[in-house]
Amino acid sequence: MGKIPTREEAWELLTRYNQDAFHLQHAETVEGIMRYFARKLGYEQEEDFWGIVGLLHDLDFEKYPEEHCVKSQEIMREEGLDESLIHATASHGYGLVVDVKPEKEMEKVLFAVDELSGLIWAAALVRPSKSVQDLELKSVKKKFKDKRFAAGCSRDVIEKGAEMLGWSLDDLISETILAMRSFEKEQPAGE
């Protein structure tokens, strides 16, 4: 049985391999979404674990983009981290860079929301408010259909994630918007 790091230990590990502000913000965004879904889906006791999985899911992406979800497994094993954490984080690359299949509901949520969170942030940033607080499903759906908008966010992965969970795409998007609203920092007036 390996170690499950505290939030502080996970952040220290993350920042050892990631310095780019965009990657760090994405990690915290996915952490927040995962915590939201842990509470929403009845896994309150596992909320910290779900959050750590979200925080560390792209551990290797900045330094080892060609070995994404492979190098992270090596790093986590060297750190003595638990196999459940290693499997969960690697599983979001299923069918893309690894053959580690999302099995648990938490892993399927991570698979589904990772790309979706990027699309939702991009949709929020083109709004006058630059916020998810007033972002609606229909706006995200419109952006989802425009393949040139946030082209790096895989629509196929998002759709596969919804399918894995047995959720409609609308439900997945709506809940992820609510998740992101739940922790978005309020912007001071004028920013």
Side-chain angles (χ1 to χ4, degrees):
M1 188 77 179
K3 179 180 179 5
I4 303 294
T6 64
R7 192 336 173 142
E8 293 73 26
E9 291 165 339
W11 181 256
E12 190 280 321
L13 179 61
L14 179 69
T15 55
R16 217 183 307 155
Y17 291 92
N18 294 269
Q19 281 79 46
D20 184 271
F22 177 82
H23 292 138
L24 296 174
Q25 181 188 4
H26 174 67
E28 288 187 302
T29 296
V30 176
E31 174 192 19
I33 293 169
M34 293 300 289
R35 287 180 174 282
Y36 171 91
F37 277 110
R39 294 186 304 269
K40 172 88 181 169
L41 299 172
Y43 297 94
E44 294 87 356
Q45 272 67 28
E46 297 174 38
E47 181 182 339
D48 288 340
F49 180 70
W50 283 48
I52 298 299
V53 167
L55 192 65
L56 293 178
H57 80 283
D58 278 346
L59 175 65
D60 59 5
F61 189 76
E62 188 175 316
K63 284 196 175 176
Y64 307 99
E66 301 304 314
E67 298 176 81
H68 183 41
C69 295
V70 175
K71 191 70 176 173
S72 63
Q73 294 178 66
E74 290 174 24
I75 293 166
M76 289 186 197
R77 284 190 182 105
E78 286 168 14
E79 293 289 322
L81 300 186
D82 196 77
E83 284 298 321
S84 63
L85 177 61
I86 295 167
H87 186 278
T89 55
S91 73
H92 86 280
Y94 177 67
L96 304 166
V97 291
V98 292
D99 59 3
V100 179
K101 188 174 186 180
E103 292 161 2
K104 297 183 168 115
E105 189 169 25
M106 177 260 297
E107 295 168 344
K108 294 173 184 177
V109 168
L110 176 63
F111 184 89
V113 303
D114 180 33
E115 296 285 318
L116 180 56
S117 69
L119 182 73
I120 291 172
W121 267 136
L125 290 175
V126 297
R127 302 180 66 73
S129 68
K130 302 209 180 313
S131 169
V132 292
Q133 298 304 325
D134 60 354
L135 184 64
E136 297 297 331
L137 171 63
K138 67 181 189 303
S139 299
V140 176
K141 288 280 297 244
K142 190 175 173 188
K143 300 295 187 196
F144 186 90
K145 289 179 182 140
D146 178 358
K147 303 290 188 228
R148 293 167 310 191
F149 182 81
C153 298
S154 171
R155 276 63 169 172
D156 288 345
V157 168
I158 296 166
E159 288 172 334
K160 278 185 196 141
E163 199 176 295
M164 272 184 204
L165 287 161
W167 300 354
S168 72
L169 185 59
D170 284 8
D171 286 346
L172 175 63
I173 294 170
S174 295
E175 280 301 323
T176 305
I177 291 169
L178 292 176
M180 291 171 74
R181 282 182 188 166
S182 75
F183 62 83
E184 181 184 47
K185 293 175 181 72
E186 292 297 320
Q187 296 296 319
E191 279 197 15

